[in-house]
Amino acid sequence: MADAEVSLSPALQPLHLSPSHSAPPPPPASSSPTTFSCPSSPSSASSSSSSSSSSSCSESSSDCPNHHSHRHHHHHHHHHHPRPQLQLPPPPHGEQPSSPSASPRSSSPSGSIGSTGSIASSSASEGIGSGVSSGGDQRGPSPLLDVISEDAMEMDLGVDPVIDPEVALKACQEVLLKVKMLDNKQQQDDQNQQQQHCADIPERCSPQWHINAETSSIREEDENEDEGPRDAATAAKTYQDPPSSAGLESSSQATSKQSWLLRLFESKLFDVSMAISYLYKSKEPGVQAYIGNRLFSFPDSEVDFYLPQLLNMYVHMDTEVGDAIRPYLIHRCKSSITFSLLSAWLLGAYSSDMHISTQRHSRGTKLRKLILSDELKPAGPASEAPRSASGSVSDSPLSSPPHRRCHRRHNSSNVEPSTSVCSVPDSPDQGEVFVSPTRRTHQRSKSDATVASSGPGASLRRTGSNPKVEAVHEEPERLRPQREFVKSLFGIGKRLATLPTKEQKTQRLISELSLLNHKLPARVWLPTADHQHHVCRVPHTQAVVLNSKDKAPYIIYVEVLECDSFETSPVPARIPETRIRTARSAENLDCGTMANANSSSMTSEHRAGSFSTVPNYDNDDEAWATDDIGQLQVEGEAQTSSSDNISQFSVDSITSLESKEPVFIAAGDIRRRLSENLAQTPTSFKRDPEDPSAVALKEPWEEKVRRIREASPYGHLPNWRLLSVIVKCGDDLRQELLAYQVLKQLQSIWQQERVPLWIKPYKILVMSSDSGMIEPVLNAVSLHQVRKQSQMSLLDYFLQEHGSFTTEAFLTAQRNFVQSCAGYSLICYLLQVKDRHNGNILLDSEGHIIHIDFGFILSSSPRNLGFETSAFKLTSEFVDVMGGLDGDMFIYYKMLMLQGLIAARKHMEKVLQIVEIMQQGSHLPCFHGSSTIRGLKERFHMSLTEEQLQLLVEQLVDGSMRSITTKLYDSFQYVTNGIM
Amino acid sequence: MSQVEKKAGLLRRTSSSKKPLKEKVVLMYDEIFAKEDPAKNNPRFWDELFLMKVNLEYLESKLESVDGEEVQRIQDNINSLFHHCVQALGEEHQIKVVNALQTLCALFRGVHQKNKSASGFDIINMLMGFDKAEQRMKDLMERLDSLLCGDSSESLKSLCLKLLLCLVTVTDNISQNTILEYVMINSIFEAILQILSDVSSRGQHGYDAVVLLALLVNYRKYESVNPYIVKLSIVDDEPTLDGMGMVVHQALAEYNRQYKDKEEENQGGFFSTLTSMVGSMFIADADEKLSVQTNEAILLALYEAVHLNRNFITVLAQSHPEIDIAATPTTPTPTTPTTPLGTTPPSLDMMNNPELPLDPNLQTSNLLITFLKYASIVMQDTKDEHRLNSARLCLIILTCIAEDQYADAFLHDDNMNFRVTLHRMPMRHRKKTVGKNIPSRPLVCAVLDLMVEFIVTHMMKDFPMDLYLRCVQIIHKLLCYQKKCRIRLHYTWRELWSALINLLKFLLSNETTLLAKHNIFHLALLIVNLFNMFITYGDTFLPTSNSYDELYYEIVRMHQVFDNLYCMVLRVSTNAGQWKEPASKVTHALVNVRAIINHFNPKIESYAAVNHISQLSEEQVLEVVRSNYDTLTLKLQDGLDQYERYSEQPKEAAFFKELVRSISLNVRKNVSLNNLSQDVLLKEFSTIS
């Protein structure tokens, strides 16, 4: 049984770790202080620094005046500890250990001392704590759910994909009971084993902590080395809390309602989307806390999609939700720089709508500060991160009523058995199964520990004197390089905005970026990318300012080198801009030294000669193209160059070649080749100083990549990639992010339902409430640019770009156009996307249209001029491309819309949820008014039959077609903004 | 201490005002030039000497007046003086260091003035003594190096550089300055680089450092191994190279600015602009110190950097606003490390200096643009020898740039567009172009404009053949790059074609006068081959199919020139004589041009006849051209896209020798001027400490 559950839920591991240990301390063990270090035992078994971790544990407790009693209290009721600490102005418990500065040191003991209040309360709960043993049984059902639901699920799988919770409940009731019995037994066994194991440790280590404490208080760097262990200690402390809560829990009843909910939660169908939904809707702290823990079990990437929702809830919803999410956030922040920064940026952005100095406000910003203070470093040698994170579940403010907390404890501890099993050293095979996630974290933290050991101060000094030491991947600070990178990009944007013309902006942009280049490569990355990488160069001349009236958004291309891990792989070494030149100069040096050696055998005349007798162009070209800049090759080249020099053609060679058979060419051929060559080159746009981006965006991406790669000193590296990003400064991208999420959701819904609607959600990075980055849509230019440059109708442009009506290429492009039109028509309708002028609609090289700029969605529209009343933009030009109103493709278009709407309707909740959560506390214009969600919901038309829906689609299309407002709006845009 | 000094200063001033009383320092100099060891009676003689304000003139004239026999007599004392100077450089007391530096300066100069004819070895012997020379110079260079690299005062560093400049320029021909051999052995290259890499020191001493480097590189350039050449060629530190570029950029920009100011001044009278501007503009003004002459040194430095160092090419394109970025070295604080990205130490650290000047009128510029503007000014008038040299050097630099693949890449980079306002000579038959109308284009367009401008404006009796050759070759090199890389530059090639045809016309009409001095056939051949490039390879680099038609139109339109040229070269090549060979080359090169003319002319005529039109419009001619390509056969000429790479040796060696000589003279003059102002500096020290 135990085996089964273990193997089934490896992903749950980090979650399990925390509550499990503290879970059911049997009476004898609980009274002995040795259990205190018990939590660290599983990991300490595998970690070399286990001893120090537990030693620092005792260190903190030693600060307490009534040493023994406090300690005692520690392992019983640790959940009380963090509580008072939360109230302290310095960051709460979990963060203290990792802070390199002196303040945490002082605050750490004060944290435990300051918990006098908690001592009082803990002593009050002491009695209950002793009741834990009995509580263990009562707590039974919830932990066992873990097990049972797996079984239930297997059953479910056979029967019906949809679980009827009540049926499932009944069906499993018996199994549940049985398993409970079984599991309890095993648990107790495990506990015993654990305690035996742990008992050894504090004794072994206790002498050590003295030394640690002394040295660390004196020297900062030592303290850094302590960090890990101390972190472990705090982790251990917090980690013990749940048991007592579990004890408290015993008094409260696990209602049947909860249990079926839990069973749903444990089912395979329970995905992140549902988790987020329940987290948002459930008022039950137990449920919230459970989901908070459950988040650990989902793949990071799936949770990441809902990060905006999670953070918005964290910022704007009540403390219970915040507390439920916090451990997960902290855990992820510790393990990932990327996550840390993304969270910090979003937290900043979502907090911006709040009134200053509200409590809620301070929660979001507090976490943000905590993240940015870089105190959430990965935990020390042992894989504490997850544990301390989930341990801090108990970080609940005093205000929260205790019994509520008990509920939560109850829920959070329901996964304990499995963990306690896995963490028991005596069960090696199970340990093996679990090892993979644990080991990964472990390794990571180990490598990070080395980083930490160098200490911020140390690495600072080093970078100051010799930047090349950086190669040994020591960072001044974890987050700093990236933050500086982003900061300077926005700095550029701000400065550009002050310049009057596009031309000046572009020139300035280029020169600013060339300065930025001096600092690359560095441990910075583009968050829009899918792969781990380091930014190595910004080909500054390729950057271009985009069209915008008063802001200065710009697009940059970024050369990156992919790597295994952005955080731990060494930063690539800098290659000078003129890589091959360096080799040439070296060759010159060789000449020089050689000349030196031979005294006068080689005169400087020769040398001077060799400087200038660089091989002729073709050779030169090869030298450029070759990646190997080895000395040998260069020397060889130098030789050929000299021989070439002799035989080099000069203009004089005509006479000497006269004897040769003359070659004749037809002038007509030259002329023909010229026009053919010109025709062959893909139609490029003409350079327009007023619209510098048109040319840059029109260039096929492949072409651009090839071109930039050729010119780049890093281009020869196999892991070289080109990325691009739009930097927006002065724009609030939160709505864009919301739109992206909705689009992404709809896209996956349509994929799931196999409706061939095509949309292209582009990634959005919100970095503050007025800045961010956008992933550019490749190979796409705006309809405005198409019009202005080609001076022809959209259909003619299609014919020019793709070929005549009957060609395969045209038909494909047309189909793409229709599918994307249908997709975006629905999007525009559902989201009420406004401001649909031609500058905001892109056309890609395959014929898809892509809507961009979701600045006006849902309840907001540009000004109140009454334009754009139509559901979406469907001009006669569009219809022409589709082959006219009577064409098959137009019918196909309407059919696609219907199918898309039906599919979307089916999964409406998934879409609604995204929007609804973001409405919390938001002042975004798209949430203006009270009916935003209702309106959105209504547009899904849940009540209509499919026939009625079809009619609706007809009406929508008809309305949009006939609507002169679209046309009116376009001409309005032309008058005001010069957009065609 | 400081009071004592002040007092002494006051005393000195009063005493020096009374002429009859000799300064104490002068008395001490006299002692040195006496037979006796001055320290014999006064053991603190040398200590005291360096506390005295130096009297440069007296010391120099004293040295000058020493004749041959006396030299022998006082050599020990002079050696001793030199030795103690070097020793004093290590003193903590800055006054002593300053005085020692100036004394050394006087020593070097005085000895050389005296021994103009004497060999270098005599000078070395006289100053240091043969046996000790090596050690003395080693000590001197080491001291200077540590002064330059250490954190001594800026004035002191400046003095060190002046001393070095003084030492380097004491002889007219730098290569005859044997003392420099020690400067070769004991390199101060690193010190120079350090000055250039640091923002603040670059601002104060960059100019001197760059000039010094340029001169040192030219020491026995062709005869021996010059370590400065080797070292300069391998520098790859970006901040340092940028720094060097910045110094050059600033010097050239300053010149451009002064020129512009003057031009505006002169614009007061409209008539005077037309008549006197060209002429009077360049008659050396007293206050034009910075312009032509000193800039030769800077140009030379630019040339050496471009020619020797491959990495420097990137600096040319390093764009920055026209004004140098305010240099405030930020002190690293724990919260804001100076290297936020943890890579290179910041030089133009925009992260610490995020405020680049934000003047909207400020054009973004780069070294190349400034250089092109400078060249356009310098090339306007080439009658003056300095300007001719500068123009030549500018063209040589452009040649090197045009040959460089990387430079070509950014010259042709379609994304790097700039408005480059070149200075155009005001001429009667054309309007002065208004700078604002110049479109923003790739940089190569500015280079081509500059070449066209030169071609158009220098067809004069005193024909600058050398410059013309370079000009046409630069165009050829750029075309070769475009052909090879298939870059279709949107340039109005027609302007170039007509300029070249006019040049041919000029050569023809002045055949006799020009032939007396120049091989005009070589230039004619280069020009004809440029046309051949367009004719046979036009398909690879012309921007539009129409431009190929226009080429034919232009050739056919100006067929008279080509006809005449053919007659001329045919005549010369049939006669025996020195021009037979070069002339016959031109005849062969003309084969395609003639084929075009012979093919299309009858067609055009018959078209006119058939349609009864006396004067065909351009469009009609183009139509004829377009419809008659297929019956025309051209001969493929070899080697059109090949060219001889630039090589300084042996062709240019003489030019550079002369150039360096002239720069040396100029620098020497300016250094001596500066020395006078060092009195001020000295006072500054005496009051400070």
Side-chain angles (χ1 to χ4, degrees), chain A residues 20-166:
Chain A
S20 67
H21 290 290
S22 40
S30 70
S31 64
S32 117
T34 52
T35 40
F36 168 64
S37 54
C38 173
S40 64
S41 62
S43 58
S44 66
S46 62
S47 109
S48 55
S49 53
S50 64
S51 56
S52 66
S53 77
S54 49
S55 73
S56 48
C57 243
S58 43
E59 173 208 330
S60 60
S61 61
S62 76
D63 290 324
C64 198
N66 48 351
H67 182 93
H68 188 79
S69 68
H70 182 69
R71 240 180 162 193
H72 189 78
H73 143 75
H74 248 300
H75 58 92
H76 275 288
H77 314 289
H78 256 285
H79 63 293
H80 291 295
H81 254 297
R83 215 192 327 162
Q85 280 164 3
L86 251 187
Q87 297 174 310
L88 293 173
H93 196 94
E95 310 122 32
Q96 288 172 6
S98 50
S99 161
S101 68
S103 62
R105 172 143 295 276
S106 55
S107 72
S108 141
S110 80
S112 42
I113 298 168
S115 59
T116 41
S118 76
I119 291 178
S121 66
S122 70
S123 61
S125 58
E126 189 125 352
I128 309 168
S130 59
V132 158
S133 57
S134 61
D137 295 53
Q138 286 179 338
R139 211 178 27 77
S142 49
L144 286 174
L145 268 177
D146 195 359
V147 184
I148 291 153
S149 63
E150 300 290 357
D151 293 349
M153 223 164 44
E154 277 165 29
M155 287 158 50
D156 287 339
L157 279 174
V159 188
D160 191 337
V162 184
I163 309 176
D164 181 349
E166 271 171 315

Side-chain angles (χ1 to χ4, degrees), chain B residues 144-424:
Chain B
L144 289 177
D145 184 82
S146 62
L147 281 173
L148 285 172
C149 295
D151 43 5
S152 49
S153 92
E154 298 301 327
S155 325
L156 211 55
K157 286 185 183 180
S158 167
L159 254 186
C160 287
L161 284 171
K162 300 280 186 223
L163 171 65
L164 283 164
L165 279 174
C166 172
L167 171 61
V168 169
T169 57
V170 278
T171 55
D172 290 352
N173 179 352
I174 191 171
S175 298
Q176 281 169 9
N177 189 347
T178 39
I179 301 178
L180 290 188
E181 208 58 53
Y182 298 110
V183 182
M184 293 295 130
I185 299 164
N186 307 294
S187 169
I188 49 142
F189 183 79
E190 287 70 21
I192 294 174
L193 285 201
Q194 196 187 309
I195 287 168
L196 292 176
S197 64
D198 181 80
V199 183
S200 66
S201 71
R202 179 210 306 153
Q204 302 191 54
H205 317 298
Y207 188 89
D208 283 344
V210 163
V211 171
L212 177 64
L213 182 60
L215 288 168
L216 284 173
V217 162
N218 277 282
Y219 171 76
R220 304 214 173 166
K221 204 183 204 178
Y222 309 114
E223 295 103 59
S224 71
V225 179
N226 180 329
Y228 289 85
I229 291 180
V230 179
K231 284 179 178 175
L232 179 58
S233 73
I234 56 168
V235 178
D236 62 354
D237 180 54
E238 278 163 357
T240 308
L241 291 172
D242 278 352
M244 197 187 292
M246 205 66 98
V247 171
V248 175
H249 177 262
Q250 265 168 334
L252 297 183
E254 177 60 19
Y255 177 89
N256 293 350
R257 196 186 55 75
Q258 283 185 2
Y259 176 84
K260 213 178 163 196
D261 288 352
K262 202 162 280 185
E263 195 183 40
E264 273 160 18
E265 222 171 86
N266 281 14
Q267 235 129 44
F270 171 72
F271 204 70
S272 67
T273 319
L274 281 181
T275 52
S276 69
M277 193 151 97
V278 185
S280 70
M281 187 70 57
F282 307 108
I283 292 168
D285 259 308
D287 62 345
E288 229 183 352
K289 260 184 303 179
L290 237 168
S291 60
V292 198
Q293 302 184 351
T294 43
N295 273 321
E296 280 178 350
I298 279 293
L299 267 191
L300 179 67
L302 176 62
Y303 164 75
E304 297 295 359
V306 167
H307 181 229
L308 293 176
N309 189 305
R310 302 188 62 85
N311 302 309
F312 189 78
I313 290 288
T314 51
V315 174
L316 289 174
Q318 190 78 62
S319 50
H320 43 74
E322 299 248 37
I323 298 175
D324 195 5
I325 298 150
T328 42
T330 46
T331 44
T333 53
T335 43
T336 52
T338 39
T339 53
L341 299 190
T343 49
T344 38
S347 61
L348 308 168
D349 195 345
M350 61 173 259
M351 276 157 198
N352 290 323
N353 280 329
E355 300 309 313
L356 292 178
L358 265 181
D359 184 356
N361 300 315
L362 212 61
Q363 281 274 329
T364 310
S365 182
N366 60 34
L367 176 54
L368 190 69
I369 292 174
T370 309
F371 169 70
L372 287 174
K373 284 183 185 168
Y374 175 83
S376 74
I377 295 170
V378 165
M379 281 183 195
Q380 285 188 46
D381 176 70
T382 50
K383 290 194 187 79
D384 168 59
E385 201 205 318
H386 284 299
R387 308 193 137 262
L388 183 71
N389 282 345
S390 289
R392 181 174 287 140
L393 192 48
C394 283
L395 286 170
I396 291 175
I397 294 169
L398 276 176
T399 306
C400 292
I401 291 172
E403 279 180 16
D404 188 286
Q405 185 98 355
Y406 184 86
D408 279 328
F410 71 70
L411 279 177
H412 291 88
D413 191 331
D414 217 18
N415 289 305
M416 284 177 70
N417 289 300
F418 292 95
R419 291 178 204 279
V420 183
T421 323
L422 297 176
H423 288 263
R424 285 161 189 272

Side-chain angles (χ1 to χ4, degrees), chain A residues 425-571:
Chain A
D426 275 20
S427 51
D429 45 344
Q430 289 152 8
E432 279 301 308
V433 180
F434 270 93
V435 148
S436 59
T438 325
R439 189 193 279 151
R440 198 161 17 92
T441 21
H442 175 63
Q443 276 180 342
R444 193 187 303 148
S445 42
K446 208 170 180 182
S447 64
D448 279 319
T450 57
V451 172
S453 72
S454 74
S459 55
L460 239 179
R461 252 178 283 127
R462 210 167 290 132
T463 41
S465 59
N466 181 7
K468 266 146 204 166
V469 183
E470 225 279 319
V472 208
H473 68 88
E474 283 148 317
E475 283 294 304
E477 277 173 53
R478 237 170 119 235
L479 313 175
R480 178 167 286 281
Q482 179 72 18
R483 290 182 72 198
E484 289 292 339
F485 181 65
V486 168
K487 209 170 92 195
S488 41
L489 287 181
F490 289 126
I492 292 172
K494 282 201 189 99
R495 271 166 268 149
L496 290 184
T498 62
L499 295 172
T501 66
K502 289 231 174 61
E503 190 183 314
Q504 277 172 313
K505 284 179 185 173
T506 303
Q507 281 184 358
R508 167 57 71 87
L509 174 64
I510 288 173
S511 74
E512 296 250 20
L513 287 175
S514 76
L515 294 181
L516 185 66
N517 248 340
H518 284 283
K519 310 206 173 306
L520 298 172
R523 199 176 290 281
V524 297
W525 85 109
L526 284 191
T528 46
D530 295 324
H531 301 284
Q532 299 267 314
H533 63 264
H534 294 122
V535 171
C536 64
R537 181 175 177 262
V538 179
H540 51 275
T541 61
Q542 306 304 317
V544 77
V545 176
L546 298 172
N547 299 334
S548 167
K549 239 178 17 175
D550 32 39
K551 313 269 172 47
Y554 58 91
I555 184 168
I556 53 169
Y557 298 90
V558 178
E559 297 175 29
V560 304
L561 296 176
E562 276 184 3
C563 59
D564 292 336
S565 160
F566 153 73
E567 294 184 35
T568 53
S569 300
V571 173

Side-chain angles (χ1 to χ4, degrees), chain B residues 435-559:
Chain B
K436 293 210 170 74
N437 292 340
I438 296 170
S440 200
R441 297 172 301 169
L443 280 168
V444 71
C445 293
V447 179
L448 288 169
D449 279 350
L450 183 65
M451 296 301 102
V452 169
E453 176 68 15
F454 180 86
I455 292 171
V456 173
T457 52
H458 288 78
M459 293 180 227
M460 45 200 182
K461 283 271 161 55
D462 191 12
F463 191 73
M465 174 59 91
D466 171 61
L467 302 190
Y468 266 108
L469 285 173
R470 291 179 199 279
C471 213
V472 174
Q473 279 165 340
I474 288 167
I475 297 170
H476 182 230
K477 280 162 191 180
L478 293 173
L479 287 184
C480 288
Y481 176 81
Q482 290 168 16
K483 186 219 148 204
K484 186 174 73 89
C485 297
R486 311 233 153 187
I487 290 167
R488 301 182 186 278
L489 188 69
H490 284 270
Y491 184 75
T492 43
W493 291 114
R494 243 176 143 158
E495 279 174 28
L496 173 68
W497 297 329
S498 89
L500 289 172
I501 292 172
N502 280 328
L503 180 57
L504 283 178
K505 201 169 160 188
F506 177 82
L507 291 180
L508 284 170
S509 49
N510 296 283
E511 182 200 337
T512 36
T513 23
L514 290 176
L515 260 184
K517 288 189 206 157
H518 310 287
N519 176 0
I520 58 167
F521 301 104
H522 186 205
L523 181 58
L525 180 70
L526 289 175
I527 295 167
V528 171
N529 274 337
L530 280 187
F531 279 100
N532 283 327
M533 274 287 277
F534 281 103
I535 292 166
T536 39
Y537 297 122
D539 57 328
T540 56
F541 63 90
L542 282 175
T544 59
S545 12
N546 210 37
S547 49
Y548 194 69
D549 307 334
E550 281 171 9
L551 170 69
Y552 279 52
Y553 173 81
E554 204 63 25
I555 291 172
V556 173
R557 189 173 70 94
M558 303 298 284
H559 68 92

Side-chain angles (χ1 to χ4, degrees), chain B residues 102-121:
Chain B
Q102 289 191 299
T103 311
L104 279 170
C105 215
L107 274 175
F108 283 129
R109 273 213 303 249
V111 169
H112 278 90
Q113 272 166 20
K114 170 66 198 155
N115 299 282
K116 272 228 161 87
S117 54
S119 77
F121 290 109

Side-chain angles (χ1 to χ4, degrees), chain A residues 473-744:
Chain A
H473 68 88
E474 283 148 317
E475 283 294 304
E477 277 173 53
R478 237 170 119 235
L479 313 175
R480 178 167 286 281
Q482 179 72 18
R483 290 182 72 198
E484 289 292 339
F485 181 65
V486 168
K487 209 170 92 195
S488 41
L489 287 181
F490 289 126
I492 292 172
K494 282 201 189 99
R495 271 166 268 149
L496 290 184
T498 62
L499 295 172
T501 66
K502 289 231 174 61
E503 190 183 314
Q504 277 172 313
K505 284 179 185 173
T506 303
Q507 281 184 358
R508 167 57 71 87
L509 174 64
I510 288 173
S511 74
E512 296 250 20
L513 287 175
S514 76
L515 294 181
L516 185 66
N517 248 340
H518 284 283
K519 310 206 173 306
L520 298 172
R523 199 176 290 281
V524 297
W525 85 109
L526 284 191
T528 46
D530 295 324
H531 301 284
Q532 299 267 314
H533 63 264
H534 294 122
V535 171
C536 64
R537 181 175 177 262
V538 179
H540 51 275
T541 61
Q542 306 304 317
V544 77
V545 176
L546 298 172
N547 299 334
S548 167
K549 239 178 17 175
D550 32 39
K551 313 269 172 47
Y554 58 91
I555 184 168
I556 53 169
Y557 298 90
V558 178
E559 297 175 29
V560 304
L561 296 176
E562 276 184 3
C563 59
D564 292 336
S565 160
F566 153 73
E567 294 184 35
T568 53
S569 300
V571 173
R574 179 169 174 77
I575 306 177
E577 202 57 18
T578 49
R579 170 172 51 91
I580 204 80
R581 277 157 211 290
T582 325
R584 287 270 169 71
S585 306
E587 155 215 337
N588 290 337
L589 176 66
D590 281 352
C591 283
T593 48
M594 204 168 73
N596 263 332
N598 302 353
S599 242
S600 60
S601 71
M602 192 182 191
T603 65
S604 65
E605 291 173 39
H606 287 114
R607 206 151 29 73
S610 75
F611 287 137
S612 46
T613 56
V614 197
N616 68 26
Y617 262 129
D618 291 321
N619 275 341
D620 207 30
D621 191 32
E622 275 163 29
W624 273 83
T626 47
D627 307 325
D628 187 3
I629 51 164
Q631 198 63 37
L632 280 174
Q633 194 206 346
V634 175
E635 274 166 13
E637 193 187 286
Q639 280 174 1
T640 55
S641 82
S642 57
S643 61
D644 242 322
N645 210 31
I646 298 161
S647 67
Q648 203 172 46
F649 289 117
S650 72
V651 278
D652 300 339
S653 62
I654 294 163
T655 38
S656 65
L657 289 165
E658 237 185 326
S659 51
K660 276 193 195 168
E661 197 68 22
V663 182
F664 293 101
I665 38 169
D669 287 345
I670 300 173
R671 176 61 164 74
R672 212 167 295 124
R673 271 206 300 275
L674 175 59
S675 11
E676 275 166 13
N677 283 342
L678 286 168
Q680 261 175 23
T681 47
T683 48
S684 63
F685 282 169
K686 244 191 232 157
R687 201 157 281 284
D688 176 1
E690 286 314 302
D691 184 8
S693 60
V695 184
L697 297 175
K698 175 73 172 133
E699 183 181 18
W701 177 250
E702 299 294 317
E703 181 75 9
K704 195 185 284 288
V705 171
R706 188 194 52 75
R707 198 166 49 78
I708 293 175
R709 185 165 201 160
E710 268 174 17
S712 167
Y714 301 91
H716 65 284
L717 298 168
N719 52 344
W720 184 96
R721 300 284 177 276
L722 189 70
L723 303 173
S724 64
V725 73
I726 293 170
V727 180
K728 274 209 160 196
C729 199
D731 285 311
D732 187 352
L733 294 183
R734 283 177 290 171
Q735 253 175 233
E736 289 281 341
L737 178 59
L738 178 64
Y740 163 75
Q741 286 190 294
V742 172
L743 259 69
K744 196 83 188 165

